[in-house]
Structures are given as C-alpha cells and as structure tokens.
Amino acid sequence: MPGNAGGHPTTPGAPTGAPDSTAAGARPEQGAERERQVRRIFSEIAPRYDLLNHVLSLNIDRSWRRKAVRALGVGRRPGGRYLDACAGTFDLAIEVAKTEGFRGRVIASDFAFPMLSEGRAKLAGRPILPTCADTLRLPFADGVFDGAMVGFGVRNLSDLDRGFRELRRVLRPGARLVILEFTVPPNRFVRFGYMLYFTRILPLVGRIVSGHPWAYSYLPASVREHPGPEDLAARLEAAGFASADWSLVTAGIAAIHVAAVA
Ligand SMILES: C[S@@+](CC[C@H](N)C(=O)[O-])C[C@H]1O[C@@H](n2cnc3c(N)ncnc32)[C@H](O)[C@@H]1O
C-alpha cells in the first residue's frame, strides 16, 4: 500500500486486554490521546468491522452510502481523482467505483492499517488505491482531488476543524466534500429508541461479536459528543468551504453533509 504517513498501528487481531480495556476506555479522549485511542480501537476490531457494521446498522448503511455517493456528483468528472478519507474497509470508495460511467480513481486513506488490510480482498481490481495516512496530515498536494468523502470518520477526529481545513486544502475549486455521519435524531420519540439501541443493545452485541470489551461503548459516547448538523455546517464554512448543506436520513439517525469549494 502506498504511503505510510499514519505510521504503523498496533497489531490487529484479538483485543489486547491492556489496563485501560475497561469502561473507562470507552470514553472519547482528547488530542493525541484520542488519536491513539481511535487508531487502537479500529486496529483491534478490524477483523469484525464489516460484519458488525452491517448487522448493527440493520444494513441501512448501504442505502446511506449510495445516497452519499450520489451527492458527490461524480458524473460531473467521471475521470477524476477522488479521496475517501477515513476509508476503513473501503465501502464508500467501492460505491464510488461502482458509479455508472466512472473512469477515474479513488485514493482511500486511513490511519489504521489493519482496516485497510481487511478491506483489500473487496477491491478486486477496482480503481481504488489504499493509502495509510492520517486525515489531519494528508500526504497530498493542494487542490489535487475532484471530490472527497468521509463516511463515519469525522466523529473520530481528534481535531475536527483541522480535519476540515485539511480536506478543503486538497480539493480543487468546484469540488465537493461529502460527509456521512451519525447524528442525534431531532424527534424525541425516535431519539428515545435510538439512544436505547445505541447505549444498551449496540454495545452488548458489539462486545459479544467483536470480543472487544469496550470499543462498542465508545461509539455511542462519540456520537453524543459529536456536534449537531448546524454546528458541523458552520465549521465547514469556517474551514474555507463556500457553502455547506445537509440532509437527514432515516428519521435523523444520520446526516449527509455536502460542502462545496468555490
Ligand atoms: C467508523 S470507521 C468508518 C470506515 C468507513 N469510512 C465506513 O464508512 O465504513 C472510521 C474509520 O476512520 C478512521 N480514522 C479515524 N481517525 C482517523 C484519522 N485521523 N486519520 C485517518 N483515519 C482515521 C479509523 O481508523 C476507521 O477506520
């Protein structure tokens, strides 16, 4: 895999059972500690990530991904170069490559090497280039991408504004950034069911299937701390995007943000 700007993460496979593998480890940390925490979580759950992703989202994530990729507007430059940042096991990148008439390339970057490694078998000759890189320090020149996406990744960034500025930097004028992310539903009845699922069922199923003691408790905690869509849109504009809009999907469980470069 080209590039290794993110360095090599911890060994994949079974959870380590290190001293902080307790409920305390489920709390999102800040700064550099958060980067280590996030990289460690995804490195450790990588072998089970795809299975759990589709089971825990009841497969709804597939339609969200398709919708997010449509918002990217690949048809405007079908031969272009696209970035899937925080790409994990490549589900978004693959969706772009499957777009009818697509003739371009997708650079799929993530700083957890085991996630890229797990996803490789799915690439099967598609024009996707896995790259081990940190979204806060992208190893690319200014303005080289015709579009960028982040699926369920921005919530994990230790410095969201820096991440937005970095994504803005690598986009050419006229390009779009699409962000697909969980959000807290506005309707209080939906919110009640969602929080119940997120704080009780999801951590339990996640723990049993992944064997990881706390990674799936980190998820609801990180969603709760993540800024809402209005705040996110304002921060995208503050990072240099000319406009930032969003739409909620599935009763506001997730949001798709589209930010444009002038
Ligand atoms: C929830 S997964 C999402 C993966 C994929 N985009 C998807 O839609 O399934 C979040 C991913 O973001 C990656 N990630 C988090 N912070 C990152 C950073 N600063 N730089 C690069 N990757 C990062 C993690 O390693 C993980 O693979």
Side-chain angles (χ1 to χ4, degrees), residues 38 42 49 53 65 86-88 110-112 115 133-135 151-152 156-157:
V38 167
F42 288 101
Y49 178 80
N53 214 12
R65 288 174 201 281
C86 303
D110 199 289
F111 70 178
M115 290 289 276
D134 188 340
T135 303
F152 308 109
N156 298 297
L157 297 179

Side-chain angles (χ1 to χ4, degrees), residues 1-238:
M1 291 180 196
N4 194 23
H8 220 286
T10 55
T11 312
T16 56
D20 64 343
S21 295
T22 61
R27 282 195 300 272
E29 301 282 356
Q30 300 304 323
E33 196 45 52
R34 179 163 187 140
E35 280 188 40
R36 273 193 290 278
Q37 180 191 39
V38 167
R39 193 185 300 203
R40 178 181 164 196
I41 287 176
F42 288 101
S43 298
E44 292 182 357
I45 66 170
R48 296 273 171 180
Y49 178 80
D50 277 348
L51 172 68
L52 272 161
N53 214 12
H54 300 306
V55 169
L56 291 171
S57 75
L58 311 174
N59 245 344
I60 306 173
D61 66 301
R62 290 187 198 274
S63 70
W64 295 345
R65 288 174 201 281
R66 282 195 291 272
K67 210 167 173 176
V69 168
R70 276 201 299 277
L72 190 61
V74 168
R76 299 182 310 150
R77 285 206 182 203
R81 194 190 287 131
Y82 294 85
L83 173 67
D84 179 10
C86 303
T89 55
F90 311 119
D91 280 0
L92 264 186
I94 290 171
E95 210 51 55
V96 174
K98 278 168 39 186
T99 306
E100 214 184 314
F102 184 71
R103 298 178 269 106
R105 270 187 302 170
V106 187
I107 314 300
S109 64
D110 199 289
F111 70 178
F113 184 82
M115 290 289 276
L116 300 173
S117 184
E118 278 298 320
R120 271 193 98 167
K122 298 192 286 185
L123 296 183
R126 292 193 166 95
I128 298 171
L129 269 95
T131 304
C132 198
D134 188 340
T135 303
L136 302 184
R137 304 164 188 89
L138 290 170
F140 309 115
D142 296 357
V144 291
F145 289 102
D146 297 292
M149 295 167 301
V150 189
F152 308 109
V154 296
R155 178 174 30 91
N156 298 297
L157 297 179
S158 60
D159 185 338
L160 185 61
D161 302 306
R162 177 172 174 176
F164 286 167
R165 285 196 299 274
E166 195 58 353
L167 288 159
R168 163 68 189 84
R169 181 184 68 74
V170 298
L171 288 172
R172 66 158 182 84
R176 289 180 192 160
L177 166 68
V178 175
I179 294 170
L180 171 61
E181 191 51 90
F182 286 113
T183 187
V184 177
N187 178 290
R188 65 192 166 112
F189 297 110
V190 180
R191 192 164 59 238
F192 178 77
Y194 170 89
M195 290 318 283
L196 196 70
Y197 178 73
F198 248 50
T199 55
R200 304 271 173 238
I201 301 167
L202 186 144
L204 181 69
V205 177
R207 195 165 61 236
I208 293 168
V209 179
S210 73
H212 198 285
W214 51 266
Y216 283 83
S217 300
Y218 162 85
L219 177 66
S222 67
V223 172
R224 259 200 310 267
E225 282 191 4
H226 189 58
E230 293 89 353
D231 188 11
L232 211 74
R235 289 167 77 166
L236 282 163
E237 289 181 356

